[in-house]
Amino acid sequence: MNIDTSALFSPIVINGCTVKNRIAVAPMTRISATEDGRATQTMARYYERFSRGGFGAVITEGIYTDQAYAQGYVHQSGVTDAVQASAWQPAVNGIRAHGALAIAQMMHAGAISQGNRFRDGAVGPSAVQPKGEQMAFYHGKDRYALPAAMTETQIADAIEGIAASAGRAIEVAGFDAIEIHGANGYLLDQFLTDYTNRRSDRWGGSTTNRMRMILETLKAVRARVGAGVPVGVRISQGKVNDYYHKWADAERDAEVVFGSLAQGGADFIHVTEFEAWQPAFAAGGPSLMRLARRHAPGTAILANGGLHSIAQAVAALDDGADIITIARGALANPDLPQRLHDGRPLADFDPSILGPIADIKPSELVGQAA
Ligand SMILES: Cc1cc2nc3c(=O)[nH]c(=O)nc-3n(C[C@H](O)[C@H](O)[C@H](O)COP(=O)(O)O)c2cc1C
C-alpha cells in the first residue's frame, strides 16, 4: 500500500507556536512521580524519547492542580507549588531538546479521585455515585467513594487552582502550551455530563449551563497565561469509568460544546473517541473530529483514538483533524513519526507494559543514558 504521508509531516502554527509535524503524543498517566508529586529523572528520560523519535508535540500525563481535591492518583505529579513546577523542568527540556512542543495537561480528578494525599473523600458537581470501579493499575480497588456536591467556593477554588497551576507550568516549568483536561470523566467532564451533574443552579441543567465550568476554567487559564500562550481543551464522550457514554442531544450538543469553545478562545480542541473515525452518533453520521472542525472552523483540532496506523492517521487529517495524537502506539513506538516517515513497520502495543502497575518500566528506557 502506497500512502502519501506528506500531510503528516507539514508544520502547523497554533497561536504563534510552530508544531513541526502533525503527530503528537497523547496524554498518559504513568504514576511515576514521587509521593509528594514531583516529576522525576525517570520521567524526564521517558518524555525525551518521544521528542527524539520525531513527535511534533508531547502532551503530558494529567497533572493535578491544587492541594485540595484535584489529585486523582498516588504518585501522580502535580504543579501546585514552585517545588513541583521546578521538578518538571528536566522533562520539559527533554521534550524541547529535539524540537517538540511541550504541552502540560491540567487535570482535576473530581469525583473519581482514587488517591489524594491532601483530603479524605472526593467532590464533584453533585453527590452521585460514580459508575464503575477504581483502576487497579493506578493502585485503586473497589468502587469510587460517593462524592460531596461542590459549593460555590469549592468551584471557584478548583478553577483558580487550574489557572494558577497553568501559570506555574508556563512560567516555572517552561512548558509551551496548556491543555485543560475536560474529558474522560474527570471533574470538568463531570460538569458537562448530564447524569453526574444534577445541579439546578447556573452550573447545571442545559448543555450550555453544563459547559460553563469548562468555559470559566478556559477563561481563567487564559487570563493567567496571557494571550500569547496556546491553550486548548480536551473533550470526549466516553469516560474511564463509562466507555460508551454518548451526549443525549447528539449533534446539537456537539454544536454547543465545540461552538462555545471556539467562542471562548480555545486555540485547540483535542477530541478523543475509542476509534476516532467512527460516527460520533448515528451510523453513517460524522465523526467527532469532523463535528469539531465544523463548529470550530478557526480552531486547531487534535484527534485521538486508534490512529497509529498510517492509513488511519492520514485519513484523520482528511476528516477534519489538524494533528493526530497517539497514546498506546507511542508507548510501543517512541519513534513512531520516524518510522512512519521511513516506511518502517510499527511494533504492536504490549499491554503488559502497564501491569501490574502503570508506572514507567526500566525496559522502556533501555538504550538511553541514565
Ligand atoms: C496508560 C494510559 C494513561 C492515560 N492517561 C491519560 C491522561 O492522563 N489524560 C488523558 O487525557 N488521557 C489519558 N489516556 C488516554 C489516552 O490519551 C488516549 O485517549 C487513549 O489511550 C486512546 O488513544 P490510543 O488509541 O492512541 O491509545 C491514557 C491512556 C493510557 C493507555
Side-chain angles (χ1 to χ4, degrees), residues 26-30 61-62 105 137-138 181 184 234 272 304-308 325-329 354:
M28 279 179 280
T29 292
R30 301 298 305 273
E61 61 205 75
Q105 188 183 60
F137 76 173
Y138 293 149
H181 199 342
N184 300 125
R234 176 159 155 130
T272 172
N304 169 260
L307 293 176
H308 40 269
T325 76
I326 316 266
R328 291 162 300 173
L354 300 175

Side-chain angles (χ1 to χ4, degrees), residues 106 110 114 222 233 238 242 258 277 355 358:
M106 299 291 106
Q114 56 176 64
R222 171 66 70 206
V233 179
D242 181 7
F258 299 129
W277 59 89

Side-chain angles (χ1 to χ4, degrees), residues 32-353:
S32 295
T34 60
E35 210 188 339
D36 58 358
R38 282 171 294 131
T40 61
Q41 204 56 41
T42 296
M43 289 164 60
R45 291 170 62 200
Y46 162 84
Y47 278 109
E48 188 264 347
R49 295 167 323 148
F50 298 124
S51 174
R52 189 152 33 89
F55 282 94
V58 177
I59 308 173
T60 66
E61 61 205 75
I63 305 174
Y64 67 80
T65 52
D66 63 43
Q67 298 189 2
Y69 292 100
Q71 187 180 357
Y73 305 109
V74 176
H75 288 287
Q76 184 184 6
S77 69
V79 68
T80 64
D81 60 21
V83 173
Q84 288 182 338
S86 308
W88 265 102
Q89 285 167 357
V92 173
N93 293 340
I95 293 170
R96 299 181 64 168
H98 310 278
L101 199 78
I103 306 175
Q105 188 183 60
M106 299 291 106
M107 168 177 154
H108 190 306
I112 60 168
S113 172
Q114 56 176 64
N116 179 1
R117 74 196 166 91
F118 302 101
R119 292 281 192 281
D120 291 327
V123 295
S126 304
V128 172
Q129 174 68 44
K131 292 186 178 178
E133 296 213 330
Q134 297 185 8
M135 284 172 274
F137 76 173
Y138 293 149
H139 300 291
K141 66 173 173 38
D142 304 331
R143 300 195 73 188
Y144 295 95
L146 179 68
M150 292 171 86
T151 62
E152 278 290 335
T153 308
Q154 286 173 326
I155 292 173
D157 288 350
I159 294 172
E160 165 58 22
I162 297 171
S165 286
R168 270 178 229 109
I170 298 295
E171 285 151 26
V172 181
F175 280 101
D176 298 300
I178 298 294
E179 174 168 292
I180 297 165
H181 199 342
N184 300 125
Y186 295 103
L187 181 71
L188 300 189
D189 185 41
Q190 289 155 25
F191 271 85
L192 175 57
T193 299
D194 47 12
Y195 70 83
T196 47
N197 182 347
R198 315 294 302 174
R199 300 180 76 97
S200 53
D201 57 10
R202 68 199 174 105
W203 304 101
S206 64
T207 308
T208 302
N209 276 2
R210 286 183 279 107
M211 267 303 284
R212 193 181 307 281
M213 182 67 173
I214 292 177
L215 295 171
E216 289 294 317
T217 303
L218 173 61
K219 196 158 104 188
V221 168
R222 171 66 70 206
R224 189 60 57 101
V225 300
V229 172
V231 177
V233 179
R234 176 159 155 130
I235 293 288
S236 69
Q237 300 193 84
K239 308 170 195 318
V240 292
N241 60 332
D242 181 7
Y243 296 162
Y244 303 108
H245 178 71
K246 294 282 181 194
W247 295 335
D249 273 344
E251 290 194 33
R252 276 198 304 280
D253 277 344
E255 182 174 355
V256 173
V257 169
F258 299 129
S260 64
L261 287 173
Q263 188 90 35
D267 296 307
F268 64 90
I269 298 172
H270 185 183
V271 290
T272 172
E273 292 256 90
F274 176 59
E275 290 177 327
W277 59 89
Q278 296 286 2
F281 305 106
S287 66
L288 205 61
M289 57 188 158
R290 167 61 56 198
L291 289 165
R293 162 60 63 237
R294 182 180 300 164
H295 299 299
T299 308
I301 305 300
L302 278 57
N304 169 260
L307 293 176
H308 40 269
S309 92
I310 195 154
Q312 299 293 11
V314 170
L317 296 186
D318 281 337
D319 196 21
D322 295 298
I323 291 179
I324 56 150
T325 76
I326 316 266
R328 291 162 300 173
L331 294 182
N333 305 273
D335 58 349
L336 182 138
Q338 284 171 358
R339 289 185 188 223
L340 293 187
H341 185 265
D342 301 344
R344 284 184 283 139
L346 298 183
D348 287 334
F349 170 67
D350 172 6
S352 73
I353 220 176

